[in-house]
Short mmCIF file of all heavy atoms in Angstrom, two decimals:
data_model
loop_
_atom_site.label_atom_id
_atom_site.label_comp_id
_atom_site.label_asym_id
_atom_site.label_seq_id
_atom_site.Cartn_x
_atom_site.Cartn_y
_atom_site.Cartn_z
N GLU A 186 -4.67 18.41 -25.78
CA GLU A 186 -4.90 19.47 -24.85
C GLU A 186 -6.39 19.62 -24.35
O GLU A 186 -6.65 19.73 -23.12
CB GLU A 186 -4.59 20.89 -25.52
CG GLU A 186 -4.52 22.13 -24.47
CD GLU A 186 -3.98 23.23 -25.20
OE1 GLU A 186 -3.75 23.26 -26.41
OE2 GLU A 186 -3.77 24.27 -24.44
N LYS A 187 -7.35 19.17 -25.20
CA LYS A 187 -8.79 19.12 -24.79
C LYS A 187 -8.95 17.95 -23.90
O LYS A 187 -9.70 18.03 -22.82
CB LYS A 187 -9.61 19.09 -26.01
CG LYS A 187 -9.69 20.22 -26.81
CD LYS A 187 -10.86 20.10 -28.01
CE LYS A 187 -10.87 21.40 -28.75
NZ LYS A 187 -11.89 21.30 -29.86
N LYS A 188 -8.23 16.77 -24.18
CA LYS A 188 -8.44 15.57 -23.37
C LYS A 188 -7.76 15.90 -21.96
O LYS A 188 -8.30 15.32 -20.97
CB LYS A 188 -7.69 14.40 -24.02
CG LYS A 188 -8.39 13.93 -25.27
CD LYS A 188 -7.75 12.67 -25.80
CE LYS A 188 -8.45 12.21 -27.14
NZ LYS A 188 -7.75 11.08 -27.61
N ILE A 189 -6.65 16.57 -21.97
CA ILE A 189 -6.06 16.96 -20.63
C ILE A 189 -6.97 17.82 -19.90
O ILE A 189 -7.08 17.62 -18.60
CB ILE A 189 -4.69 17.64 -20.93
CG1 ILE A 189 -3.61 16.72 -21.43
CG2 ILE A 189 -4.13 18.22 -19.57
CD1 ILE A 189 -2.34 17.27 -21.91
N GLU A 190 -7.50 18.72 -20.54
CA GLU A 190 -8.49 19.64 -19.77
C GLU A 190 -9.65 18.89 -19.15
O GLU A 190 -10.14 19.08 -17.97
CB GLU A 190 -9.07 20.64 -20.68
CG GLU A 190 -10.00 21.68 -19.97
CD GLU A 190 -10.55 22.80 -21.03
OE1 GLU A 190 -10.11 22.85 -22.16
OE2 GLU A 190 -11.51 23.47 -20.77
N HIS A 191 -10.08 17.91 -19.95
CA HIS A 191 -11.33 16.96 -19.45
C HIS A 191 -10.86 16.05 -18.25
O HIS A 191 -11.59 15.93 -17.19
CB HIS A 191 -11.80 16.13 -20.51
CG HIS A 191 -12.63 16.80 -21.64
ND1 HIS A 191 -13.47 17.81 -21.31
CD2 HIS A 191 -12.61 16.66 -22.91
CE1 HIS A 191 -14.04 18.18 -22.45
NE2 HIS A 191 -13.43 17.60 -23.51
N LEU A 192 -9.56 15.70 -18.38
CA LEU A 192 -9.11 14.76 -17.39
C LEU A 192 -8.89 15.62 -16.01
O LEU A 192 -9.33 15.05 -14.97
CB LEU A 192 -7.65 14.32 -17.82
CG LEU A 192 -6.92 13.47 -16.73
CD1 LEU A 192 -7.61 12.31 -16.17
CD2 LEU A 192 -5.48 13.04 -17.33
N LYS A 193 -8.36 16.75 -16.06
CA LYS A 193 -8.23 17.58 -14.93
C LYS A 193 -9.60 17.94 -14.27
O LYS A 193 -9.69 17.93 -13.07
CB LYS A 193 -7.44 18.88 -15.27
CG LYS A 193 -6.02 18.71 -15.60
CD LYS A 193 -5.26 20.01 -15.80
CE LYS A 193 -3.86 19.93 -16.09
NZ LYS A 193 -3.13 21.23 -16.31
N ASN A 194 -10.52 18.23 -15.19
CA ASN A 194 -11.92 18.52 -14.72
C ASN A 194 -12.50 17.18 -13.90
O ASN A 194 -13.14 17.33 -12.89
CB ASN A 194 -12.81 18.84 -15.72
CG ASN A 194 -12.56 20.24 -16.26
OD1 ASN A 194 -12.02 21.04 -15.69
ND2 ASN A 194 -13.00 20.38 -17.61
N ASP A 195 -12.24 16.07 -14.45
CA ASP A 195 -12.63 14.82 -13.86
C ASP A 195 -12.02 14.59 -12.40
O ASP A 195 -12.57 14.23 -11.53
CB ASP A 195 -12.43 13.55 -14.74
CG ASP A 195 -13.40 13.58 -15.97
OD1 ASP A 195 -14.44 14.18 -15.88
OD2 ASP A 195 -13.12 12.83 -16.77
N ILE A 196 -10.72 14.84 -12.51
CA ILE A 196 -10.00 14.76 -11.31
C ILE A 196 -10.58 15.67 -10.06
O ILE A 196 -10.84 15.24 -9.04
CB ILE A 196 -8.53 14.92 -11.43
CG1 ILE A 196 -7.98 13.81 -12.16
CG2 ILE A 196 -7.73 15.09 -10.03
CD1 ILE A 196 -6.39 14.12 -12.60
N GLU A 197 -10.63 16.84 -10.48
CA GLU A 197 -11.05 17.93 -9.57
C GLU A 197 -12.47 17.63 -9.08
O GLU A 197 -12.75 17.82 -7.88
CB GLU A 197 -11.02 19.28 -10.07
CG GLU A 197 -9.56 19.78 -10.36
CD GLU A 197 -9.40 20.98 -11.27
OE1 GLU A 197 -10.37 21.49 -11.71
OE2 GLU A 197 -8.14 21.25 -11.62
N ARG A 198 -13.33 17.21 -9.98
CA ARG A 198 -14.83 16.74 -9.60
C ARG A 198 -14.73 15.57 -8.57
O ARG A 198 -15.54 15.61 -7.52
CB ARG A 198 -15.60 16.48 -10.83
CG ARG A 198 -16.99 15.98 -10.55
CD ARG A 198 -17.75 15.86 -11.91
NE ARG A 198 -17.05 15.00 -12.72
CZ ARG A 198 -16.99 13.55 -12.64
NH1 ARG A 198 -17.78 13.08 -11.83
NH2 ARG A 198 -16.33 12.90 -13.61
N LYS A 199 -14.00 14.69 -8.92
CA LYS A 199 -13.93 13.46 -7.95
C LYS A 199 -13.30 13.78 -6.61
O LYS A 199 -13.77 13.37 -5.59
CB LYS A 199 -13.14 12.25 -8.58
CG LYS A 199 -14.08 11.56 -9.65
CD LYS A 199 -13.27 10.42 -10.31
CE LYS A 199 -14.08 9.56 -11.33
NZ LYS A 199 -15.26 8.90 -10.55
N LEU A 200 -12.31 14.72 -6.57
CA LEU A 200 -11.73 15.13 -5.41
C LEU A 200 -12.53 15.87 -4.46
O LEU A 200 -12.32 16.08 -3.25
CB LEU A 200 -10.35 15.81 -5.66
CG LEU A 200 -9.19 15.04 -6.13
CD1 LEU A 200 -8.06 15.97 -6.46
CD2 LEU A 200 -8.83 13.88 -5.08
N GLU A 201 -13.77 16.28 -4.99
CA GLU A 201 -14.72 16.97 -4.12
C GLU A 201 -15.21 16.00 -3.11
O GLU A 201 -15.72 16.44 -1.95
CB GLU A 201 -15.76 17.60 -4.91
CG GLU A 201 -15.36 18.84 -5.69
CD GLU A 201 -16.48 19.35 -6.64
OE1 GLU A 201 -17.49 18.90 -6.57
OE2 GLU A 201 -16.17 20.47 -7.46
N ASP A 202 -15.34 14.73 -3.41
CA ASP A 202 -16.00 13.61 -2.62
C ASP A 202 -14.72 12.90 -2.04
O ASP A 202 -15.11 12.06 -1.11
CB ASP A 202 -16.95 12.79 -3.39
CG ASP A 202 -18.12 13.69 -3.88
OD1 ASP A 202 -18.59 14.55 -3.14
OD2 ASP A 202 -18.47 13.49 -5.04
N LEU A 203 -13.69 12.66 -2.68
CA LEU A 203 -12.68 11.88 -2.13
C LEU A 203 -11.37 12.68 -1.74
O LEU A 203 -11.08 13.68 -2.36
CB LEU A 203 -12.20 10.99 -3.33
CG LEU A 203 -13.20 10.08 -3.97
CD1 LEU A 203 -12.71 9.50 -5.30
CD2 LEU A 203 -13.70 9.11 -2.97
N GLY A 204 -10.86 12.19 -0.52
CA GLY A 204 -9.95 13.14 0.13
C GLY A 204 -8.60 13.17 -0.29
O GLY A 204 -7.90 14.20 -0.17
N GLU A 205 -8.19 12.12 -0.99
CA GLU A 205 -6.72 12.04 -1.46
C GLU A 205 -6.65 11.25 -2.78
O GLU A 205 -7.45 10.66 -3.23
CB GLU A 205 -5.83 11.41 -0.38
CG GLU A 205 -5.98 9.89 -0.19
CD GLU A 205 -5.07 9.25 0.81
OE1 GLU A 205 -3.79 9.22 0.45
OE2 GLU A 205 -5.46 8.94 1.87
N ILE A 206 -5.50 11.48 -3.36
CA ILE A 206 -5.28 10.95 -4.71
C ILE A 206 -3.99 10.16 -4.77
O ILE A 206 -3.04 10.59 -4.26
CB ILE A 206 -5.28 11.89 -5.86
CG1 ILE A 206 -4.93 11.32 -7.25
CG2 ILE A 206 -4.30 13.09 -5.43
CD1 ILE A 206 -5.27 12.34 -8.38
N LEU A 207 -3.99 8.91 -5.34
CA LEU A 207 -2.85 8.07 -5.42
C LEU A 207 -2.64 7.75 -6.98
O LEU A 207 -3.67 7.53 -7.59
CB LEU A 207 -3.05 6.69 -4.78
CG LEU A 207 -3.18 6.70 -3.25
CD1 LEU A 207 -3.37 5.25 -2.81
CD2 LEU A 207 -1.90 7.25 -2.66
N VAL A 208 -1.44 7.77 -7.38
CA VAL A 208 -1.15 7.27 -8.67
C VAL A 208 -0.50 5.92 -8.59
O VAL A 208 0.49 5.73 -7.94
CB VAL A 208 -0.28 8.23 -9.53
CG1 VAL A 208 0.12 7.68 -10.91
CG2 VAL A 208 -0.77 9.58 -9.68
N ILE A 209 -1.27 4.83 -9.24
CA ILE A 209 -0.71 3.52 -9.17
C ILE A 209 -0.40 3.05 -10.54
O ILE A 209 -1.33 3.24 -11.40
CB ILE A 209 -1.79 2.64 -8.40
CG1 ILE A 209 -1.97 3.10 -6.97
CG2 ILE A 209 -1.34 1.20 -8.53
CD1 ILE A 209 -2.95 2.35 -6.21
N GLY A 210 0.72 2.30 -10.75
CA GLY A 210 0.98 1.79 -12.04
C GLY A 210 2.48 1.24 -12.05
O GLY A 210 3.21 1.10 -11.03
N GLU A 211 2.93 1.05 -13.44
CA GLU A 211 4.31 0.66 -13.62
C GLU A 211 5.16 1.80 -13.72
O GLU A 211 4.85 2.89 -14.20
CB GLU A 211 4.29 -0.26 -14.78
CG GLU A 211 3.62 -1.52 -14.56
CD GLU A 211 3.58 -2.36 -15.79
OE1 GLU A 211 3.25 -1.91 -16.90
OE2 GLU A 211 3.72 -3.67 -15.66
N PRO A 212 6.49 1.70 -13.46
CA PRO A 212 7.31 2.81 -13.52
C PRO A 212 7.86 3.09 -14.93
O PRO A 212 9.05 3.25 -15.12
CB PRO A 212 8.54 2.33 -12.64
CG PRO A 212 8.56 0.97 -12.66
CD PRO A 212 7.17 0.50 -12.89
N ASP A 213 6.91 3.09 -15.94
CA ASP A 213 7.37 3.48 -17.38
C ASP A 213 7.40 4.94 -17.41
O ASP A 213 6.95 5.64 -16.57
CB ASP A 213 6.33 2.79 -18.30
CG ASP A 213 4.96 3.04 -18.08
OD1 ASP A 213 4.55 4.22 -17.94
OD2 ASP A 213 4.27 2.09 -17.69
N LYS A 214 7.78 5.38 -18.63
CA LYS A 214 8.02 6.81 -18.78
C LYS A 214 6.64 7.66 -18.68
O LYS A 214 6.52 8.68 -17.96
CB LYS A 214 8.68 7.06 -20.12
CG LYS A 214 9.02 8.65 -20.41
CD LYS A 214 9.76 8.67 -21.69
CE LYS A 214 10.09 10.17 -21.97
NZ LYS A 214 10.78 10.44 -23.23
N SER A 215 5.71 7.15 -19.23
CA SER A 215 4.40 7.91 -19.40
C SER A 215 3.74 7.88 -17.86
O SER A 215 3.17 8.95 -17.56
CB SER A 215 3.38 7.26 -20.37
OG SER A 215 3.14 5.99 -20.03
N THR A 216 3.75 6.79 -17.29
CA THR A 216 3.19 6.77 -15.90
C THR A 216 4.04 7.59 -15.02
O THR A 216 3.47 8.26 -14.08
CB THR A 216 3.12 5.28 -15.40
OG1 THR A 216 2.44 4.55 -16.40
CG2 THR A 216 2.33 5.27 -14.14
N GLY A 217 5.29 7.58 -15.18
CA GLY A 217 6.16 8.38 -14.35
C GLY A 217 5.95 9.86 -14.39
O GLY A 217 5.88 10.61 -13.40
N LEU A 218 5.74 10.31 -15.75
CA LEU A 218 5.35 11.69 -16.00
C LEU A 218 3.99 12.00 -15.41
O LEU A 218 3.82 13.11 -14.77
CB LEU A 218 5.35 12.05 -17.57
CG LEU A 218 6.70 12.04 -18.16
CD1 LEU A 218 6.65 12.07 -19.62
CD2 LEU A 218 7.50 13.23 -17.65
N LEU A 219 3.13 11.18 -15.61
CA LEU A 219 1.70 11.43 -14.87
C LEU A 219 1.83 11.40 -13.38
O LEU A 219 1.16 12.33 -12.90
CB LEU A 219 0.77 10.21 -15.36
CG LEU A 219 -0.54 10.14 -14.81
CD1 LEU A 219 -1.49 11.29 -15.38
CD2 LEU A 219 -1.21 8.81 -14.86
N ALA A 220 2.66 10.64 -12.78
CA ALA A 220 2.80 10.67 -11.40
C ALA A 220 3.36 11.96 -10.95
O ALA A 220 3.00 12.53 -9.94
CB ALA A 220 3.56 9.38 -10.92
#
Side-chain angles (χ1 to χ4, degrees):
E186 192 170 5
K187 288 183 179 180
K188 290 181 180 180
I189 291 172
E190 184 180 348
H191 290 318
L192 174 60
K193 288 182 175 180
N194 288 338
D195 286 342
I196 291 173
E197 290 164 11
R198 177 174 51 82
K199 284 182 173 290
L200 284 177
E201 291 177 1
D202 299 317
L203 301 171
E205 70 177 287
I206 178 171
L207 293 178
V208 179
I209 295 179
E211 294 176 317
D213 52 62
K214 185 174 183 179
S215 59
T216 305
L218 288 169
L219 176 69

